[in-house]
Amino acid sequence: MFRNLPPLCKGIIVALVASTVLSLAIPSLTVSALPLYPQLAIRGLQIWRLFTYPFFIIASMRGLIGSLLNLLWIGMIVAIFGSELETIIHTKRLTIALGATVVGCGILFSFISPAGVL
């Protein structure tokens, strides 16, 4: 099934799996680098946080089954709905739309809740 997915869906699923594995292997790196801290993103110029916060998954060995089920659930949603959407509106347009949505929502969140974490 993975071979038949469009390229953007494959990339999103690979990024989610990599984020989960990184969270299991080096949790401190994942917590310090991926989530959206508005103070760091806007004032600290850590712009990558506007792109990486959707891939922030906290996985632990204690809750490994739950983490894997969460990853499976998200992967299924991306595979089912994302592949259909990517087939309909094409990869380039969907990439631009998703990127603009993620960055726009990250900026909006940063101004609405400057002390929050996403």
Side-chain angles (χ1 to χ4, degrees):
M1 179 177 168
F2 188 74
R3 287 186 310 192
N4 298 332
L5 288 176
L8 182 61
C9 291
K10 282 183 188 177
I12 290 172
I13 291 172
V14 166
L16 287 168
V17 169
S19 172
T20 303
V21 169
L22 188 65
S23 179
L24 286 170
I26 313 169
S28 60
L29 177 67
T30 305
V31 170
S32 67
L34 293 181
L36 177 60
Y37 296 107
Q39 300 289 340
L40 296 174
I42 305 258
R43 292 179 188 90
L45 294 178
Q46 296 180 1
I47 303 299
W48 73 85
R49 292 182 184 276
L50 294 173
F51 297 96
T52 59
Y53 75 90
F55 300 104
F56 177 60
I57 296 174
I58 298 176
S60 67
M61 293 306 281
R62 176 178 275 169
L64 185 61
I65 300 295
S67 300
L68 292 177
L69 288 175
N70 182 28
L71 180 64
L72 180 67
W73 180 252
I74 295 171
M76 285 175 44
I77 289 173
V78 168
I80 293 169
F81 297 111
S83 64
E84 185 73 24
L85 193 60
E86 192 170 350
T87 303
I88 293 170
I89 66 169
H90 305 292
T91 303
K92 184 177 181 181
R93 291 174 61 193
L94 184 60
T95 303
I96 292 169
L98 284 177
T101 302
V102 166
V103 171
C105 289
I107 291 170
L108 184 65
F109 175 79
S110 296
F111 287 116
I112 289 176
S113 178
V117 177
L118 185 62

